[in-house]
Amino acid sequence: MLIELRTGQRFTGTHHLDFPMRDEQAEAVKLTHAYYHSRWDEDPHAVPRFLWNAKMRFGKTFTSYQLAKKMGAKRVLVVTFKPAVEDAWQTDLESHVDFDGWQYLSVKTGGDPTQIDRKKPVVYFGSFQDLLGRDPRGNIKAKNEWLHTENWDLVIFDEYHFGAWRETAKELFAGEEDEIAREEARLEDAKKLKDRIADLQEPLEPETEFLPITTKAYLYLSGTPFKALATGEFIEEQIFNWTYTDEQRAKADFAAKYPDKWNPYGALPQMRLLTYQMPEELLNIASAGEFDEFDLNEFFSATGVGDKAQFKHKSDVQKWLDIIRGQYHPKTLESLKTGERPPFPYSDVRLLPYLQHSFWFLPNVAACHAMANLLKEKQNTFWHDYTPIVAAGTAAGIGLEALPPVRRAIGAGFDSKSITLSCGKLTTGVTVKQWSSILMLRNLKSPETYFQAAFRVQSPWSIKNPNGDDTHAEEILKPACFVFDFAPTRALRQLSEYGIGLSPNEGNPENAVKELVSFLPVLAYNGAVMKQLDTGEILDIAMAGTSATLLARKWESALLVNVDNDTLRKLMDNADAMAAVERIEGWRALGDNVIETIINKSDKVKELKAKAKESDLTPKEKKELSAEEKEYKSKRKLVQEKLIKFATRIPAFMYLTDFRENTLQDVITKLEPNLFRTVTGLTVQDFHLLVKLKVFNTEQMNQAVFAFRRYEDASLSYTGIDSHEGLTRYGLYNTVVAQETA
């Protein structure tokens, strides 16, 4: 039986679906397969590695299976850092006729994996935690021994995050809330962040080291692999990118090219960011930082559990609830005077349809319970129409266990209203198509975490063939989705960092942000009017809402320097480069042959760890391993600190030089080389050589210079001062950008 549902999609038998890959999915398979064969042609013993940087709704699981099929893979192992995604892997395999006859196995499905039909392809799904788990003696779990004897054709790492298998990151798998809290703490603490990045620059363990199995290739999947892209773990030929911007561009292009055809991207909603400046009386309650930014974590701080949970600033949170439904009296009077009624989330008729089912992202478990309690109080009759679901804490369950209560409360989504309250759960690996808006009610410093959560509300919601008479018809129920944020400066900083992170090789950071906001409109309410912001305004607010001190920290970032073994070897093998670094202030205090010591001891530690996996180490060897590891890590961080200390001299050079339209590279080499040597201690030739060897990261330098230039002009413009009259361009490190774009 074959029934046409819509172009390219067929229903066969009782449940199997078959639809063709979209162009970008086919391109991912094609490029990856081509690189796979090219590596084998170069070296038959090579194990190719790929990274697919594809956002939610790309269809990574379906496309991965198509790659496996193209490769002729018969044994596929899927290892995930987020067990909650298993449902997608099982459903995609079992619901498409392309994979008829394929076998799916996991702990959840049960069965004896050693008794499978070896003539048919098999996919085994396992969590990273389970597969890496060892017994008390450090041996592989008995139930997993068969995995290590199998010759796999493809190993897929889902929800991959850079360095996730390292010792320093294994705690990431304890839970979503803990993971977010730890990452935010690292970003808050500059020293911890430097240590974290230094750990990430440790030599990568081969996959066989942390997952000792045999395979022909590895595929890494992630929606936000910014660190992997920025630190160059994968070369360009190994990466396939498909971002929100790509998706929305494809949607617009298809509509323009084929206006009368069904658009395969049509149901993917456009995201819109609305930011709100809170009234002074609420800002005074919870302001923090050099610019007194609204501290969401403090404002929504709470104590207690369950029915006993209460907000610390309960009366003010109540005022906030009144504000977002347009019932705050001081603001009502202002609206009458100005004749404009600002579009607050739960008051504007244009926004209300998108708030029927929303996600509120709060600081912690206590805040989630406190909000549920406040919404239920008798004075909040407006909110009684909404069912609050607390998806937070151990009581909500682990991973997917928190999802059923949400689905039950929402039902079909037409006759119900809900508010899902979470501080981390359900922010990755789940799809609730009825969610159409998210309220950001917590501080987040990581753009990855911010947008991982934001994209939960971008799932398509539509009805195919709604009237039953046109298989090509589709009723789109969610053409747009909304992010509401009440800390404008932080929100716009996240947006700018996300746009730049999507294009790590883009020389002009403004172009990266401009392309993103062309598909993600930003509207800001400043206390009087709501207006759409252009790229320049977004960057001005993001930069001017910070301080010179915070911008200087960009020049203290460990991402500016590379201290991995490959870079250190290049440095050590170049006599001129070694002579240059020895002229950096304080370098000689590190001792003779410091780089050689780091590399040798790193290799020694690797050798001892390999031996430890084959047999028990003697007490002497264990002591040696501990001492060697401690020493080389300590020396690597010292080298990193000296290089960063040199980088911090560059902002001083920017203040002293009056050239603004030239690249910093040209200013250093052609215009003021003597000043550069006076300020930094290095000659032009020294610095260029170190940049050529990738000791310094030029893309990160461009971003740091760009932030400085933006902050300088934006901060002075508020005082009526033109920093450099007639300036039309900014010189970054090695590129020039226009000050204003059409």
Side-chain angles (χ1 to χ4, degrees), residues 7 98 102 132 143 191 246 255-256 456 465 540 641 690-691:
T7 303
D98 282 0
W102 285 53
L132 272 191
K143 69 184 182 71
K191 185 178 185 303
D246 295 318
R456 291 306 102 195
N465 192 7
D540 284 346
E641 286 170 3
L690 296 180
V691 169

Side-chain angles (χ1 to χ4, degrees), residues 543-615:
M543 301 305 174
T546 185
S547 67
T549 303
L550 292 176
L551 283 174
R553 285 186 186 173
K554 284 184 175 289
W555 290 95
E556 296 175 4
S557 169
L559 286 175
L560 278 174
V561 303
N562 296 315
V563 292
D564 56 279
N565 277 12
D566 287 342
T567 304
L568 293 181
R569 280 196 179 92
K570 291 176 186 175
L571 194 58
M572 187 173 67
D573 293 340
N574 190 308
D576 291 338
M578 285 302 297
V581 296
E582 287 174 0
R583 285 191 280 275
I584 292 176
E585 182 183 344
W587 186 275
R588 292 187 181 277
L590 299 178
D592 296 333
N593 304 318
V594 63
I595 292 178
E596 186 176 3
T597 300
I598 291 170
I599 294 172
N600 290 341
K601 290 189 179 294
S602 173
D603 290 341
K604 178 68 173 176
V605 167
K606 186 177 178 182
E607 180 185 322
L608 286 169
K609 285 186 173 181
K611 183 179 178 182
K613 290 180 179 179
E614 296 174 2
S615 61

Side-chain angles (χ1 to χ4, degrees), residues 441-733:
L441 309 180
R442 65 175 296 165
N443 297 341
L444 287 170
K445 291 184 175 293
S446 162
E448 295 95 325
T449 304
Y450 189 96
F451 281 94
Q452 277 277 10
F455 281 124
R456 291 306 102 195
V457 303
Q458 212 237 338
S459 303
W461 187 16
S462 65
I463 301 174
K464 309 292 193 304
N465 192 7
N467 299 318
D469 55 2
D470 184 357
T471 57
H472 298 274
E474 180 179 24
E475 182 180 350
I476 297 171
L477 303 175
K478 191 168 70 173
C481 60
F482 291 83
V483 179
F484 299 101
D485 201 303
F486 302 89
T489 302
R490 285 197 183 100
L492 298 181
R493 194 180 302 142
Q494 297 282 24
L495 182 76
S496 62
E497 289 181 9
Y498 182 72
I500 292 168
L502 288 177
S503 307
N505 298 319
E506 169 60 62
N508 183 344
E510 188 164 2
N511 284 345
V513 178
K514 182 179 180 181
E515 186 173 33
L516 175 62
V517 299
S518 68
F519 296 109
L520 200 164
V522 179
L523 288 85
Y525 174 68
N526 63 5
V529 296
M530 176 75 84
K531 64 166 289 189
Q532 184 167 343
L533 303 181
D534 61 26
T535 310
E537 290 171 312
I538 290 169
L539 290 166
D540 284 346
I541 294 170
M543 301 305 174
T546 185
S547 67
T549 303
L550 292 176
L551 283 174
R553 285 186 186 173
K554 284 184 175 289
W555 290 95
E556 296 175 4
S557 169
L559 286 175
L560 278 174
V561 303
N562 296 315
V563 292
D564 56 279
N565 277 12
D566 287 342
T567 304
L568 293 181
R569 280 196 179 92
K570 291 176 186 175
L571 194 58
M572 187 173 67
D573 293 340
N574 190 308
D576 291 338
M578 285 302 297
V581 296
E582 287 174 0
R583 285 191 280 275
I584 292 176
E585 182 183 344
W587 186 275
R588 292 187 181 277
L590 299 178
D592 296 333
N593 304 318
V594 63
I595 292 178
E596 186 176 3
T597 300
I598 291 170
I599 294 172
N600 290 341
K601 290 189 179 294
S602 173
D603 290 341
K604 178 68 173 176
V605 167
K606 186 177 178 182
E607 180 185 322
L608 286 169
K609 285 186 173 181
K611 183 179 178 182
K613 290 180 179 179
E614 296 174 2
S615 61
D616 291 337
L617 296 179
T618 65
K620 181 180 178 182
E621 286 175 324
K622 288 180 180 177
K623 187 175 181 181
E624 182 184 7
L625 173 61
S626 177
E628 298 274 10
E629 189 168 14
K630 184 176 180 180
E631 183 177 358
Y632 92 79
K633 285 188 174 182
S634 172
K635 288 186 180 297
R636 189 188 299 278
K637 287 177 183 176
L638 288 173
V639 167
Q640 180 192 58
E641 286 170 3
K642 295 301 178 189
L643 292 171
I644 291 172
K645 187 174 182 180
F646 165 79
T648 59
R649 300 288 181 87
I650 295 177
F653 176 77
M654 287 192 292
Y655 276 114
L656 291 171
T657 183
D658 201 43
F659 294 98
R660 285 296 183 273
E661 292 198 0
N662 304 87
T663 67
L664 191 58
Q665 188 178 46
D666 284 344
V667 176
I668 292 170
T669 57
K670 301 172 185 176
L671 303 174
E672 296 193 5
N674 293 331
L675 177 60
F676 181 77
R677 183 169 186 174
T678 301
V679 173
T680 67
L682 287 191
T683 66
V684 167
Q685 292 77 14
D686 290 340
F687 185 60
H688 268 318
L689 179 55
L690 296 180
V691 169
K692 183 179 178 181
L693 294 175
K694 297 293 184 183
V695 174
F696 296 104
N697 185 322
T698 54
E699 286 82 7
Q700 292 292 327
M701 284 188 172
N702 275 334
Q703 292 179 27
V705 178
F706 182 75
F708 168 80
R709 303 292 194 215
R710 271 284 177 187
Y711 168 75
E712 181 182 43
D713 279 358
S715 57
L716 288 174
S717 69
Y718 295 129
T719 64
I721 299 173
D722 188 350
S723 64
H724 292 79
E725 190 174 352
L727 186 69
T728 60
R729 302 183 304 165
Y730 292 124
L732 305 188
Y733 172 70

Side-chain angles (χ1 to χ4, degrees), residues 24-84:
E24 66 276 5
Q25 294 173 324
E27 186 70 7
V29 171
K30 177 179 152 188
L31 292 175
T32 305
H33 190 245
Y35 182 73
Y36 169 74
H37 276 291
S38 70
R39 291 290 291 122
W40 272 70
D41 291 341
E42 293 171 17
D43 179 5
H45 302 291
V47 181
R49 306 165 71 244
F50 325 104
L51 170 66
W52 286 358
N53 166 30
K55 71 167 287 295
M56 184 180 131
R57 302 282 74 79
F58 172 76
K60 292 189 284 288
T61 57
F62 171 68
T63 314
S64 298
Y65 284 145
Q66 291 289 356
L67 172 64
K69 187 175 181 180
K70 180 80 172 176
M71 290 170 55
K74 300 296 184 184
R75 301 287 178 269
V76 179
L77 176 63
V78 180
V79 185
T80 180
F81 303 126
K82 295 285 185 182

Side-chain angles (χ1 to χ4, degrees), residues 148-369:
H148 301 267
T149 60
E150 191 72 49
N151 291 318
W152 298 94
D153 296 311
L154 177 64
V155 174
I156 302 171
F157 294 98
D158 192 18
E159 294 294 337
Y160 164 71
H161 298 288
F162 179 73
W165 57 81
R166 300 172 185 279
E167 289 296 326
T168 55
K170 284 184 180 177
E171 75 274 7
L172 291 180
F173 313 117
E176 296 94 332
E177 295 99 328
D178 292 340
E179 176 184 347
I180 291 170
R182 272 189 292 271
E183 185 64 20
E184 293 300 306
R186 288 192 187 101
L187 292 171
E188 191 72 44
D189 188 321
K191 185 178 185 303
K192 285 182 181 177
L193 182 59
K194 284 183 190 175
D195 291 346
R196 171 71 170 149
I197 295 174
D199 287 339
L200 292 176
Q201 292 195 342
E202 293 292 322
L204 285 174
E205 294 177 307
E207 285 85 353
T208 51
E209 294 275 334
F210 65 88
L211 190 63
I213 57 175
T214 304
T215 186
K216 293 180 180 177
Y218 294 98
L219 172 64
Y220 292 81
L221 307 176
S222 178
T224 52
F226 295 160
K227 292 187 180 72
L229 295 173
T231 53
E233 185 199 351
F234 295 86
I235 61 174
E236 187 174 350
E237 288 83 357
Q238 294 172 284
I239 302 171
F240 175 80
N241 284 304
W242 184 258
T243 67
Y244 168 79
T245 305
D246 295 318
E247 165 202 287
Q248 292 295 313
R249 189 190 304 110
K251 176 181 173 180
D253 290 348
F254 192 97
K257 193 173 181 180
Y258 308 106
D260 300 323
K261 290 187 177 181
W262 172 80
N263 189 335
Y265 309 96
L268 294 165
Q270 184 188 71
M271 183 175 284
R272 297 168 188 178
L273 172 62
L274 275 64
T275 69
Y276 297 85
Q277 184 73 41
M278 288 292 95
E280 286 295 327
E281 63 178 288
L282 295 191
L283 290 176
N284 293 335
I285 295 297
S287 294
E290 190 170 342
F291 283 82
D292 291 332
E293 293 176 335
F294 190 40
D295 188 339
L296 292 166
N297 288 0
E298 171 59 26
F299 185 78
F300 290 105
S301 62
T303 57
V305 294
D307 294 340
K308 303 295 183 183
Q310 292 285 324
F311 284 114
K312 177 180 174 183
H313 308 290
K314 183 177 177 180
S315 296
D316 298 295
V317 176
Q318 179 66 62
K319 289 178 185 175
W320 174 83
L321 285 175
D322 294 337
I323 288 171
I324 65 173
R325 54 180 290 255
Q327 295 298 308
Y328 185 58
H329 294 301
K331 288 297 170 189
T332 303
L333 291 173
E334 286 181 15
S335 299
L336 290 172
K337 291 176 183 177
T338 61
E340 291 189 25
R341 187 179 179 87
F344 286 107
Y346 285 87
S347 68
D348 192 285
V349 69
R350 294 166 295 179
L351 296 176
L352 279 173
Y354 299 96
L355 287 146
Q356 191 166 344
H357 300 287
S358 61
F359 187 103
W360 292 17
F361 199 8
L362 287 148
N364 51 43
V365 176
C368 292
H369 284 287

